[in-house]
């Protein structure tokens, strides 16, 4: 019996070594250690042996079993490492697009645009303000003169967050709620810009993304007129785009401004692109923030920041900005 077990161990070692992959090893494992294995059979015969023989054979069965288990575990870790290497090889990335000589990255073109706009408006005496990306219904709509159930709320395909009452919490659809927060927190005169990320369930195309960026501008002071708004936008266009670009205002509608206008930019190739909306802050909005419309007036504007980057760099598809192709982004 002892001899048989030694021979069995040698054969088991060979079978384990021959297992070419993890599936084959699992089969060998079942054969060597399972219910119908030689070891299980010998063990079932122990009861019928003389006590002395039972002791010797029992100990040997245990030793052989322990050794077989060790051999299988060892083979399994070798095969698993091999399998992992195959997966890694299959998932290997082509990094040849990276220029080894130039290790330093640079800011994304949208961030560059964001910072340039901040510099430009700070140079004109504006402060920079921020607000939360997850907003309440009041700041995104209510305080901006969109009454509950008003069809103008459908202008934005809003993404709601499951929190509190249904439709009470949302991903802000524009940066205009930051206007409200600024007016709630600060006394006029206010000259501030509010860049940030906004969200709409828009389908991505050449000029739309579901997550994009806007920059809001708000001025509240005494005796502010539409002429101040037009002059500010013109000064901005010249400073930001330089020669070759012009702008126009088209009558439009926003619940939070009256009168309202759309602001378009003409590219050097003659095509127009809508960049944002603007207008005189609606008296209801001033009242929502505790300001007296008889004393204070102001204007606001909100531009698509990504579209600004598009215009400035002559990029024809907004989606390019977010594909994160190093070769594309490295150009700017
Ligand atoms: C607004 O969001 C208003 N809050 C703007 C405003 C502010 C008007 C202050 C008056 C006073 P509108 O939905 O038109 O307006 O969006 C403004 C700009 O954001 C658009 O002109 C466009 O440049 C940009 N934009 C809108 N949707 C997208 C999108 N899906 N992807 C990229 N840019 C977009």
């Amino acid at each position: 019996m002892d001899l048989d077990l030694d021979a069995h161990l040698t054969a088991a070692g060979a079978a384990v070594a021959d297992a070419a992959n993890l599936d084959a090893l699992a089969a060998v494992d079942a054969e060597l250690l399972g219910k119908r294995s030689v070891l299980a059979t010998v063990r079932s015969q122990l009861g019928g042996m003389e006590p002395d023989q039972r002791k010797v054979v029992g100990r040997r069965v245990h030793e052989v079993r322990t050794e077989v288990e060790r051999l299988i575990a060892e083979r399994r870790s070798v095969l698993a490492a091999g399998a992992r290497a195959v997966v890694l090889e299959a998932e290997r990335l082509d990094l040849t697009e990276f220029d080894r000589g130039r290790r330093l990255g640079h800011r994304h073109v949208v961030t560059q645009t964001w910072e340039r706009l901040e510099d430009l408006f700070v140079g004109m005496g504006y402060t920079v303000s921020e607000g939360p990306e997850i907003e309440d219904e009041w700041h995104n709509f209510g305080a901006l003169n969109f009454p509950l159930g008003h069809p103008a709320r459908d202008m934005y395909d809003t993404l709601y967050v499951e929190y509190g009452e249904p439709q009470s919490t949302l991903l802000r659809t524009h940066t205009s709620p930051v206007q409200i927060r600024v007016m709630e927190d600060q006394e006029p005169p206010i000259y501030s810009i509010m860049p940030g990320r906004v969200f709409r369930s828009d389908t991505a195309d050449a000029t739309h993304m579901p997550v994009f960026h806007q920059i809001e501008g708000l001025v509240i002071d005494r005796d502010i007129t539409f002429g101040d708004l037009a002059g500010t936008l013109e000064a901005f266009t010249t400073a930001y785009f330089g020669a070759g670009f012009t702008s126009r205002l088209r009558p439009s509608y926003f619940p939070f401004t009256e009168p309202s206008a759309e602001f378009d930019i003409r590219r050097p190739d003659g095509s127009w692109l809508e960049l944002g909306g603007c207008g005189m802050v609606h008296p209801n909005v001033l009242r929502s923030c505790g300001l007296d419309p008889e004393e204070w007036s102001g204007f606001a504007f909100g531009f698509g920041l990504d579209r600004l980057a598009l215009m400035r760099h002559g990029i024809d598809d907004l989606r390019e900005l977010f594909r994160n192709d190093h070769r594309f982004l490295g150009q700017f």
Side-chain angles (χ1 to χ4, degrees):
M1 186 60 75
D2 218 14
L3 204 68
D4 278 353
L5 281 176
D6 285 344
H8 179 67
L9 179 56
T10 310
V16 169
D18 279 352
N21 54 46
L22 288 166
D23 286 343
L25 185 65
V28 172
D29 185 328
E31 190 189 318
L32 294 176
L33 300 173
K35 279 197 193 124
R36 300 204 182 145
S37 63
V38 172
L39 289 175
T41 311
V42 176
R43 189 189 266 156
S44 70
Q45 293 165 356
L46 289 176
M49 294 179 188
E50 290 303 315
D52 284 354
Q53 191 193 14
R54 186 189 309 151
K55 207 168 157 189
V56 173
V57 175
R59 184 183 304 135
R60 188 65 189 139
V61 167
H62 177 70
E63 285 167 2
V64 170
R65 187 179 173 86
T66 307
E67 179 61 7
V68 170
E69 283 172 351
R70 191 189 67 75
L71 289 171
I72 288 176
E74 197 175 85
R75 182 76 186 138
R76 184 176 291 123
S77 77
V78 170
L79 291 173
R84 208 162 41 243
V86 169
V87 170
L88 287 179
E89 182 60 27
E91 292 178 353
R92 179 198 279 274
L93 292 175
D94 175 10
L95 298 179
T96 50
E97 69 186 64
F98 289 99
D99 173 1
R100 281 167 191 276
R102 256 188 8 189
R103 294 253 165 110
L104 271 185
H106 64 72
R107 292 188 194 287
H108 190 278
V109 60
V110 171
T111 311
Q112 290 176 34
T113 306
W114 179 316
E115 291 180 347
R116 222 183 112 81
L117 289 165
E118 284 188 358
D119 285 352
L120 210 144
F121 279 102
V122 166
M124 288 163 70
Y126 286 64
T127 61
V128 180
S129 309
E130 282 182 7
E133 292 179 351
I134 299 181
E135 260 299 1
D136 55 58
E137 176 286 319
W138 169 251
H139 286 93
N140 197 82
F141 289 127
L144 286 162
N145 199 32
F146 291 82
L148 266 179
H150 191 282
R153 290 193 182 207
D154 301 338
M155 282 160 66
Y156 306 116
D157 290 316
T158 309
L159 294 161
Y160 288 93
V161 175
E162 281 183 20
Y163 181 78
E165 293 291 303
Q167 305 212 337
S168 64
T169 310
L170 43 83
L171 297 179
R172 66 180 178 191
T173 57
H174 52 174
T175 41
S176 298
V178 192
Q179 283 185 35
I180 303 298
R181 292 186 177 275
V182 169
M183 284 189 272
E184 283 170 345
D185 290 349
Q186 294 172 30
E187 295 288 318
I190 294 169
Y191 290 76
S192 193
I193 52 156
M194 297 138 240
R197 190 156 53 155
V198 301
F199 310 82
R200 294 181 193 177
S201 61
D202 281 347
T203 306
D205 65 21
T207 50
H208 294 83
M209 287 298 288
V211 179
F212 59 103
H213 303 84
Q214 287 188 340
I215 183 163
E216 193 85 6
L218 175 71
V219 167
I220 305 286
D221 207 340
R222 293 192 168 87
D223 305 323
I224 297 292
T225 67
F226 199 87
D228 294 316
L229 168 61
T232 303
L233 292 180
E234 194 53 39
F236 157 76
T237 306
T238 319
Y240 186 77
F241 290 103
F245 289 84
T246 48
S247 65
R248 70 178 175 196
L249 292 178
R250 275 182 295 124
S252 185
Y253 169 77
F254 297 100
F256 38 96
T257 46
E258 181 59 35
S260 302
E262 214 86 53
F263 176 68
D264 303 336
I265 291 270
R266 202 175 89 112
R267 306 187 233 222
D269 70 3
S271 62
W272 292 92
L273 184 70
E274 175 199 309
L275 217 54
C278 59
M280 301 306 290
V281 178
H282 197 288
N284 287 349
V285 174
L286 294 171
R287 276 188 215 104
S288 294
C289 302
L291 296 176
D292 178 2
E294 297 298 322
E295 184 179 0
W296 302 105
S297 57
F299 63 75
F301 55 83
F303 301 152
L305 208 147
D306 320 82
R307 289 199 190 169
L308 269 169
L310 217 68
M311 296 282 298
R312 192 178 155 80
H313 296 288
I315 302 165
D316 53 18
D317 193 323
L318 199 53
R319 290 166 293 193
E320 292 289 354
L321 298 182
F322 304 103
R323 285 205 178 103
N324 279 345
D325 184 331
H326 172 77
R327 290 162 297 190
F328 175 79
L329 293 175
Q331 301 174 87
F332 307 105

